Amino acid sequence: MSASKILVPIGFSQQSMVALGQAFNLAKIKNSDIVLLSVIEDQSMIQSLFLDDKSDELKTKVKSKLEGIASEYSNKYGVDVDTMVAKGRVYEEINEVADMISADLIVMGTNGAKSKGNFIGSNSEKVVRLSKCPVITIKGKDHRDGCENIILPLDLEKETKEKVTYALEYARYWNATIRVVSIILRDNQEVREKLAKNINQVKRFINQAGVKCTAELIEGEKKQTLGDFVFEYEKRFDADLIMIMTKKEELSFSNNISVTARYMIKNSEIPVMSIRPKESKYIMGPTTAF
């Protein structure tokens, strides 16, 4: 399931350049091509009436800068790179281009929950919410080139097990260990037994696939968010990547993402890969969207 194209939105901020470096590291391992995309946001109708429209000039300048970055990184990593400049709403253009080029992965920077008006930070959640392919969002400035530990939170819903395929793929790239974890927030023996059975089945499956794996059921209190439990867990292993599911299944064609997924995307200090479950033909019960 190797990606053929990785789309990297570039806003020329420090954060988007950090994401760019990680995308090239991944592209080299996956033997993928990179497509760099910058989006020029549309002016309002009133702005275009009273200001000189220099959008073509701006587009040329952006394209030139983007091609300079593409040339530098292509030579450094030995990866084929294309560049694109689009005009419109940032998150819409990112997802439209991803569909157009049949991207298998989007890698983008995010400045997290406190970001307002930032090119990528204010759009990352919408990209994740609408994207048909997995999205890796990257916050923070210091990231390893490789990956030693992948955190895989699981609940009882079968949709969350779709992550296992991706976890196996990425663990094999780096010879990483997959850390399966489930969180129980109430003292319910039946739920506890089901969760324990679930994570141990996943652990066996991963081990049989030739990948290192651990599994752990941890206790939690309702006053703390599920996302914070995952963050505490990943710090124990100095982890490099968290894989989550994003879509709630109350409605089979809903574009909403869970509160937990949104919280983790905005607050995680390590990269988060968000995977949208395949659409179901039936209305499902609600999930935790881990």
Side-chain angles (χ1 to χ4, degrees):
M1 195 179 59
S2 178
S4 58
K5 290 187 185 298
I6 299 175
L7 178 64
V8 187
I10 297 292
F12 305 108
S13 66
Q14 183 180 13
Q15 199 55 55
S16 64
M17 299 310 291
V18 170
L20 178 63
Q22 292 299 313
F24 271 91
N25 285 326
L26 194 53
K28 190 171 183 179
I29 295 171
K30 291 165 67 67
N31 194 29
S32 301
D33 295 339
I34 291 275
V35 177
L36 305 183
L37 170 68
S38 284
V39 181
I40 300 170
E41 293 193 81
D42 280 326
Q43 289 184 337
S44 69
M45 182 66 71
I46 293 177
Q47 283 177 312
S48 15
L49 284 173
F50 290 96
L51 296 174
D52 291 335
D53 186 0
K54 296 182 179 179
S55 57
D56 288 340
E57 181 181 338
L58 177 59
K59 189 173 182 179
T60 300
K61 290 180 179 179
V62 171
K63 180 73 171 175
S64 175
K65 186 169 184 178
L66 208 57
E67 287 177 347
I69 292 171
S71 177
E72 176 188 349
Y73 278 77
S74 179
N75 292 333
K76 180 179 178 180
Y77 289 92
V79 173
D80 289 335
V81 185
D82 287 327
T83 62
M84 297 181 65
V85 179
K87 187 177 179 181
R89 292 183 179 179
V90 174
Y91 70 92
E92 288 180 351
E93 293 300 324
I94 291 171
N95 280 304
E96 285 179 12
V97 170
D99 286 346
M100 182 178 69
I101 66 173
S102 299
D104 296 280
L105 179 67
I106 298 171
V107 179
M108 63 189 300
T110 174
N111 287 336
K114 295 180 181 179
S115 173
K116 292 183 179 180
N118 178 270
F119 179 89
I120 295 299
S122 62
N123 290 284
S124 55
E125 181 186 321
K126 292 177 182 176
V127 172
V128 168
R129 178 165 55 86
L130 298 172
S131 176
K132 295 176 184 176
C133 67
V135 180
I136 294 180
T137 48
I138 296 178
K139 182 186 174 187
K141 299 175 183 177
D142 299 318
H143 300 286
R144 299 184 190 90
D145 290 343
C147 180
E148 296 179 3
N149 291 283
I150 297 172
I151 304 299
L152 193 69
L154 292 180
D155 61 16
L156 292 174
E157 298 297 331
K158 68 178 186 298
E159 286 79 10
T160 65
K161 293 183 182 179
E162 291 178 33
K163 290 183 296 186
V164 175
T165 302
Y166 287 99
L168 283 170
E169 177 189 2
Y170 283 78
R172 284 172 176 147
Y173 291 142
W174 295 294
N175 191 30
T177 300
I178 299 173
R179 309 282 183 180
V180 179
V181 60
S182 285
I183 300 160
I184 183 165
L185 294 178
R186 57 185 182 276
D187 189 16
N188 184 313
Q189 188 61 28
E190 182 181 359
V191 171
R192 185 189 305 274
E193 289 175 358
K194 286 181 178 179
L195 283 169
K197 181 180 178 181
N198 187 38
I199 62 174
N200 285 323
Q201 283 178 338
V202 171
K203 178 186 175 183
R204 283 195 299 272
F205 177 80
I206 292 172
N207 285 153
Q208 288 169 3
V211 172
K212 294 173 288 186
C213 181
T214 65
E216 191 170 349
L217 181 62
I218 60 176
E219 305 286 339
E221 297 179 8
K222 289 184 178 180
K223 64 181 180 180
Q224 192 172 10
T225 69
L226 289 169
D228 284 333
F229 279 110
V230 175
F231 294 156
E232 288 177 3
Y233 189 75
E234 62 90 356
K235 285 181 173 62
R236 284 172 49 189
F237 301 99
D238 194 21
D240 311 280
L241 180 67
I242 300 172
M243 290 190 172
I244 63 173
M245 304 299 281
T246 58
K247 182 182 170 187
K248 294 193 294 185
E249 294 291 335
E250 288 91 344
L251 296 174
S252 59
F253 297 105
S254 169
N255 281 325
N256 292 326
I257 65 176
S258 76
V259 172
T260 300
R262 180 180 296 112
Y263 181 82
M264 292 176 69
I265 291 164
K266 289 185 175 181
N267 293 285
S268 177
E269 292 297 328
I270 67 171
V272 175
M273 174 181 275
S274 301
I275 303 160
R276 181 176 179 174
K278 295 175 183 176
E279 290 182 340
S280 171
K281 295 180 181 179
Y282 308 102
I283 295 179
M284 310 291 291
T287 77
T288 309
F290 265 162

